[in-house]
Amino acid sequence: MDLNTRLQNVTVIGAAGKMGSGISLLLALEIAYRALEHKDRTYLLNLVDVNDGALLGLLRYLREQAVKDAEKQMSRIRRLYADREDLVENGEMIQAFADEVLQHVRTGKTMTLAQDSTLVFEAAFEKEELKVGIYKELAAICPRDMYILTNTSSIPLHVLADASGMLGRVIGYHFYNPPAVQKLLEVITPDVCDSELQQLAAELAKVLRKTVVPSNDIAGFIGNGHFMRDGLHGIREVERLAQEHGFVKAVFFVNKTSREWLLRPMGIFQLIDYVGVDVFQLILRVMEKYLNDGLHSPLIDRYLELGIKGGQTSSGTQKDGFLKYDKGAIVGIYDPEKQEYVMMDGTWNKEADTQLGAHPDPTLSWKSLQGDPHLDAKLRRYFGSFGANPTFGVQLATDYFRVTREASLRLVADGVAHSAEDVNKVLTLGFFHLYGPINDYLD
Amino acid sequence: MTHMPKPLYLAAGAYTMSLGTGRPEFNPRKARPGLEHYIQEVGRAVFDQIEDPDVIDEGVIGNFMAARFNKQGHLGSLMTIAHPSLEYKPMIRVEGACASGGLALATGIKSVLSGLADSVLVMGVEVQNTVKAVYGADILAGAGWFAGERKAGGTYFFPQKFSDRAGAFGQKYGVEKSRAAMAHWYATAIENARLNPLAQEHHNAVKDLVGLGLTPPDARTFCEHINLFHCSKVSDGAAAIVVCTKEGYKRLGLKRKDVVKIVGYGHAAANLTAPPPELTELTTSRKASGLARKMAKISAEDYGVIEVHDCFSITGMLSLEALELAGPGQSIDLVMAGENKRTGRFPTNTGGGLVGYGHPTGASGVRMAVDLWKQLTGKAGDFQIQLQKEHGVMISMGGNDKTVVSLVLKR
């Protein structure tokens, strides 16, 4: 069965979650364009989620985004509606397109919506038993040739497929957040996987204009394989530095150097908060279960016991986690001893800044280097100056740099990634880093 | 009308900043002032120049599409908020697409000539940044023939119409040459705007303007023969000036040196449902400006300062040909020789024009009259030129050269 036929009846499970919404949007737009191009065919997109309120929110989101997409694709939209005499103005066509997108969408809480689908995207909560249960249910009601593309970011595919009796019919399709915007798609092909499914997955990635990085079927894959070790290093550094400097300052040092000294978009604790402390713990547990590699942090467990979770509100504002935020800016750091946030009010953080020493080149930042045509040369010069600049900040950044590089090299050595280039691609495309972790900048 | 039945003057001109992309004050995510703000601001600027506000007998306001951009009709009544003295005076709104400002001037002229008024406050206003460009294009497309043209038209209806003209012009006179001239037109517009603190492009600091103007057009994302730098801006703004008799300006407390004389007037409309007779010529503009020049009894060589409706670079160039400053296709050489620059033989759009100052559609015709008035009375401040001749001319054009008002003014 070709892709176009499969796209005539598609289901997204967990459609109203953060990743599910984005995947649903990508599919809803693609289906609407196809429906306008192939008027003789019927297209349906079934969006399944357990949360009614979130499903209503998803419909609103789809409409808003459909309008935005049509505004950007106006020439294409005008061509597609050339035969509709009742639609003359851009505005009329944009509204008609938004209606078109929603016309193909059915939402519901029951899995039976998926019964005619031959293509199912699964973006349910990252829990093995939950996913296996869903796959078993799908296998029972869907056509025999149904395929599952799962957004799991850590659970081995062969485990899910085997436990659900879906061997050969499941592939990993790991989008990055937000799926509609992020170019990276990590495709995880288990050892047993129908060749038709592999081809479909590749063809669909092209249609959705994603950059595919293949990853092997080892828990955590490339993205989390790197992120978890990167995060654990940050946490261990905090534990080490806390003995001398106190906990809050230690978080301050590590977060600041990992962002500003390493020229990353976020500090490591800001990133953990963004992903969610609970999600971080969950992925650690999944990975440790299969890899037995010391992927565990008592500090993370303690935070969750104290109810410190991070993550985002449904409107996308950052919730407090390791750090406290005000309109996106970091304003405080959580102290688990005192069980309260210590504000960065200048009483102690100025001194902490002095302790770190001057930034090696204050003119350079992640933001300032965006799209810089001389990026590589500038990074080379910047990291090259580390040796002659032995401040405390540079020391922390150097250690961080080396650890993250080691962890990345191990992903290649362990066969998670096919090449160093693939690891670098995941970090630059999926995490928006300016440079891949496998490099010779500090050699 | 081959002569002015009585001497008429323009006095006490003013315009607001042209707000839109390019101005540091502009933030698309924040609320912006509406029509009321612009009407009051420009009204204040005019009345500040007048001794006795009660001397103003009437008001005319030019506006194109407030009914859609701002969901506001009845602008004649709204115009009274420009000054308390206007309450219960005759106020009228006129519309002629992007020539609405030109029509407002024409209406003011007729009112004064009729003898019913000595001084008429003529205003133009448009607030367009209320919608995204893709919807603004729908609204502006109303300047074309909706029933016959819109459906087959492009996303950006008017850019496509003038891209067609630029394409035909290039085919006839050389694609590279015409694109180079269009790029120079852009560069000159920005250079002039840098001298005009109210211009939307006042802060444009691009070094290689000609290089930017030469950006190859991209039919996939915009138009086949023009790029975004060849376009005027999406703008909010207002302009106002007083049309008056000699008695009128005296009662306003002004002297002859403060005012300019209207010595030529031409107004022509062409069939909206018909395609232009010739893509490489602005036939209606030629007609209207010919009438104005004939009334003024001068030749094109006598123009010392010029305002043309450069909604696109190509329109500016074709307007110079319509004014008979250059023969067909020769606007290319005129622009390449820099004769349209402030120091050239025919200083054109000295305050930036539509590409540099901005294009609040209904205000543009009045803004042109104000810029001519500023230059001819020596009130142009940083963008004042050394006048070589004492006449100025303007072309206020609506739609695809369908409604045109041209005035010739004398120092």
Side-chain angles (χ1 to χ4, degrees):
Chain A
M1 201 188 296
D2 66 6
L3 177 65
N4 198 21
T5 310
R6 284 185 186 269
L7 283 173
Q8 286 188 248
N9 198 310
V10 182
T11 295
V12 182
I13 309 284
K18 191 156 70 173
M19 298 304 285
S21 305
I23 296 168
S24 299
L25 172 63
L26 280 172
L27 292 166
L29 293 175
E30 182 58 30
I31 280 172
Y33 282 117
R34 279 175 193 253
L36 290 171
E37 276 156 9
H38 307 273
K39 295 208 172 64
D40 54 328
R41 292 185 181 224
T42 307
Y43 291 86
L44 281 174
L45 176 62
N46 312 298
L47 303 180
V48 179
D49 201 283
V50 289
N51 186 333
D52 278 327
L55 280 172
L56 288 176
L58 173 60
L59 288 175
R60 263 196 304 278
Y61 171 73
L62 290 180
R63 181 162 240 293
E64 280 166 18
Q65 296 302 315
V67 165
K68 282 190 184 159
D69 188 73
E71 287 169 353
K72 285 188 201 128
Q73 305 286 330
M74 204 55 230
S75 299
R76 185 178 179 194
I77 300 275
R78 285 196 77 87
R79 271 199 306 280
L80 287 170
Y81 284 124
D83 60 345
R84 281 280 298 272
E85 279 183 23
D86 58 321
L87 302 176
V88 180
E89 297 200 304
N90 297 335
E92 292 167 343
M93 295 184 195
I94 288 166
Q95 291 307 314
F97 181 75
D99 291 342
E100 182 76 35
V101 167
L102 292 186
Q103 266 160 28
H104 300 276
V105 169
R106 297 191 300 188
T107 56
K109 286 161 85 171
T110 63
M111 211 78 93
T112 47
L113 271 182
Q115 64 183 359
D116 298 323
S117 289
T118 50
L119 205 54
V120 176
F121 290 80
E122 176 270 306
F125 197 62
E126 192 73 349
K127 273 222 153 106
E128 197 180 306
E129 318 83 75
L130 176 73
K131 287 183 194 273
V132 169
I134 289 170
Y135 296 4
K136 280 185 177 163
E137 210 175 327
L138 288 170
I141 58 169
C142 291
R144 281 291 308 155
D145 52 0
M146 178 270 291
Y147 286 136
I148 294 175
L149 291 82
T150 170
N151 190 55
T152 181
S153 63
S154 58
I155 308 169
L157 276 296
H158 66 270
V159 172
L160 294 173
D162 202 23
S164 59
M166 287 284 292
L167 217 52
R169 289 159 61 196
V170 183
I171 199 164
Y173 225 52
H174 181 210
F175 289 90
Y176 277 69
N177 188 27
V181 179
Q182 274 269 29
K183 285 276 159 247
L184 179 66
L185 180 65
E186 208 176 351
V187 174
I188 306 104
T189 310
D191 286 342
V192 185
C193 186
D194 285 8
S195 61
E196 189 191 340
L197 174 55
Q198 295 183 41
Q199 281 164 20
L200 274 172
E203 192 186 342
L204 182 65
K206 226 178 250 175
V207 166
L208 300 178
R209 290 175 296 279
K210 297 295 175 198
T211 306
V212 169
V213 172
S215 177
N216 279 325
D217 191 17
I218 297 170
F221 320 122
I222 300 175
N224 279 329
H226 180 274
F227 174 39
M228 291 301 122
R229 290 166 176 113
D230 208 45
L232 285 178
H233 173 67
I235 291 164
R236 283 178 197 133
E237 279 289 85
V238 165
E239 287 161 349
R240 178 176 71 85
L241 295 166
Q243 293 174 7
E244 188 184 337
H245 302 277
F247 185 84
V248 168
K249 248 191 196 176
V251 173
F252 179 88
F253 290 147
V254 176
N255 194 63
K256 184 152 184 158
T257 47
S258 58
R259 182 168 86 98
E260 293 175 25
W261 270 249
L262 293 182
L263 306 171
R264 289 182 179 184
M266 290 182 187
I268 189 63
F269 297 112
Q270 196 186 353
L271 181 60
I272 293 175
D273 286 349
Y274 176 79
V275 171
V277 182
D278 50 349
V279 176
F280 191 81
Q281 181 197 51
L282 191 68
I283 294 169
L284 279 178
R285 284 185 178 163
V286 171
M287 287 176 63
E288 183 59 10
K289 176 175 169 189
Y290 294 102
L291 302 179
N292 206 3
D293 192 30
L295 295 163
H296 173 241
S297 160
L299 182 68
I300 292 283
D301 298 344
R302 169 111 179 96
Y303 268 60
L304 288 167
E305 279 162 25
L306 293 168
I308 303 299
K309 281 168 46 174
Q312 281 135 53
T313 63
S314 56
S315 63
T317 16
Q318 180 62 49
K319 292 195 239 174
D320 296 340
F322 273 83
L323 311 171
K324 186 174 180 61
Y325 303 87
D326 183 21
K327 292 180 190 113
I330 300 165
V331 294
I333 293 171
Y334 190 70
D335 183 342
E337 288 303 315
K338 291 189 194 154
Q339 299 187 20
E340 64 182 28
Y341 285 93
V342 177
M343 302 307 281
M344 286 160 49
D345 53 8
T347 52
W348 58 272
N349 50 302
K350 272 190 189 151
E351 188 194 273
D353 273 328
T354 317
Q355 284 172 296
L356 281 177
H359 188 275
D361 183 350
T363 65
L364 295 189
S365 70
W366 176 77
K367 206 170 173 190
S368 79
L369 288 165
Q370 289 303 309
D372 194 306
H374 311 294
L375 178 64
D376 185 65
K378 285 189 181 173
L379 289 173
R380 209 163 278 284
R381 204 162 46 231
Y382 171 75
F383 287 114
S385 74
F386 271 28
N389 203 353
T391 59
F392 182 41
V394 163
Q395 212 175 68
L396 291 178
T398 306
D399 291 347
Y400 216 118
F401 191 99
R402 293 197 193 282
V403 170
T404 192
R405 185 165 179 267
E406 285 311 310
S408 305
L409 285 169
R410 250 194 71 194
L411 290 173
V412 183
D414 293 350
V416 178
H418 293 282
S419 66
E421 198 198 339
D422 283 349
V423 180
N424 286 348
K425 251 195 215 172
V426 168
L427 270 297
T428 50
L429 289 173
F431 290 80
F432 294 116
H433 286 191
L434 289 168
Y435 53 94
I438 303 178
N439 60 62
D440 58 358
Y441 292 152
L442 277 188
D443 291 355
Chain B
M1 199 161 69
T2 53
H3 70 285
M4 276 288 171
K6 60 178 160 188
L8 290 191
Y9 302 86
L10 290 178
Y15 52 79
T16 66
M17 173 205 300
S18 175
L19 187 68
T21 54
R23 287 299 309 194
E25 298 89 345
F26 179 74
N27 179 344
R29 291 198 196 114
K30 285 202 177 139
R32 280 176 299 282
L35 290 164
E36 299 81 356
H37 164 87
Y38 290 97
I39 290 172
Q40 288 183 316
E41 183 175 313
V42 82
R44 240 190 329 269
V46 168
F47 281 96
D48 281 352
Q49 302 176 51
I50 293 173
E51 270 179 15
D52 178 5
D54 283 325
V55 170
I56 300 289
D57 299 308
E58 289 185 11
V60 182
I61 185 162
N63 169 266
F64 177 25
M65 279 285 193
R68 289 195 71 186
F69 280 120
N70 322 98
K71 310 261 192 286
Q72 180 65 63
H74 209 173
L75 294 197
S77 167
L78 188 64
M79 188 187 175
T80 58
I81 66 171
H83 195 274
S85 70
L86 297 177
E87 188 78 352
Y88 302 126
K89 285 184 179 166
M91 298 283 152
I92 185 171
R93 176 262 177 106
V94 294
E95 188 274 315
C98 301
S100 297
L103 286 188
L105 289 163
T107 308
I109 287 169
K110 288 175 191 186
S111 246
V112 177
L113 286 180
S114 77
L116 286 171
D118 265 335
S119 301
V120 176
L121 175 63
V122 171
M123 193 181 280
V125 69
E126 205 80 50
V127 174
Q128 299 179 260
N129 282 297
T130 52
V131 296
K132 289 185 188 172
V134 69
Y135 303 105
D138 278 338
I139 297 175
L140 296 173
W145 179 33
F146 183 81
E149 291 184 306
R150 181 66 189 110
K151 177 69 181 172
T155 301
Y156 296 100
F157 181 82
F158 268 98
Q160 194 193 41
K161 289 286 166 205
F162 284 89
S163 167
D164 292 349
R165 283 187 181 271
F169 190 78
Q171 201 172 34
K172 211 162 174 178
Y173 306 112
V175 174
E176 261 180 56
K177 273 172 65 185
S178 64
R179 283 192 185 164
M182 287 181 352
H184 278 86
W185 183 279
Y186 166 72
T188 301
I190 304 304
E191 285 162 8
N192 287 337
R194 285 173 181 166
L195 301 173
N196 182 357
L198 297 173
Q200 206 167 323
E201 291 283 0
H202 180 64
H203 299 280
N204 184 326
V206 171
K207 286 201 181 82
D208 183 12
L209 289 168
V210 173
L212 196 58
L214 282 171
T215 307
D218 182 355
R220 208 172 38 83
T221 55
F222 188 54
C223 286
E224 200 179 343
H225 304 292
I226 61 172
N227 61 39
L228 285 171
F229 306 104
H230 298 147
C231 301
S232 53
K233 318 281 294 182
V234 175
S235 315
D236 302 344
I241 200 161
V242 178
V243 180
C244 51
T245 59
K246 190 173 176 183
E247 294 69 38
Y249 79 69
K250 283 186 172 160
R251 286 169 58 208
L252 292 167
L254 299 169
K255 304 225 157 41
R256 176 63 183 92
K257 67 171 179 51
D258 301 320
V259 302
V260 294
K261 194 172 181 185
I262 305 173
V263 294
Y265 162 76
H267 174 188
N271 181 353
L272 187 66
T273 67
E278 173 57 71
L279 280 178
T280 58
E281 187 190 88
L282 298 179
T283 318
T284 318
S285 292
R286 180 178 288 270
K287 261 288 190 265
S289 62
L291 289 170
R293 191 176 58 241
K294 209 166 150 196
M295 187 187 284
K297 298 189 178 62
I298 57 170
S299 79
E301 288 291 323
D302 295 324
Y303 295 140
V305 56
I306 292 151
E307 280 291 327
V308 292
H309 187 93
D310 58 335
C311 50
F312 303 92
S313 298
I314 185 65
T315 330
M317 288 162 58
L318 291 175
S319 297
L320 296 181
E321 295 180 14
L323 285 168
E324 296 183 21
L325 297 171
Q330 288 172 357
S331 61
I332 296 175
D333 311 308
L334 191 158
V335 169
M336 293 308 286
E339 290 189 13
N340 62 321
K341 285 183 187 284
R342 50 198 306 100
T343 49
R345 224 163 28 113
F346 302 114
T348 304
N349 293 2
T350 56
L354 279 65
V355 168
Y357 165 77
H359 184 23
T361 44
S364 282
V366 182
R367 196 272 309 149
M368 290 175 162
V370 175
D371 270 339
L372 289 181
W373 168 81
K374 284 185 177 184
Q375 289 292 3
L376 292 169
T377 56
K379 296 179 197 294
D382 287 347
F383 67 96
Q384 182 67 48
I385 57 165
Q386 282 287 333
L387 272 180
Q388 305 299 328
K389 301 159 204 164
E390 55 187 9
H391 285 93
V393 66
M394 59 168 271
I395 288 181
S396 171
M397 189 192 88
N400 194 354
D401 190 39
K402 293 302 186 187
T403 289
V404 180
V405 174
S406 177
L407 298 181
V408 177
L409 307 176
K410 191 174 177 225
R411 182 151 63 168

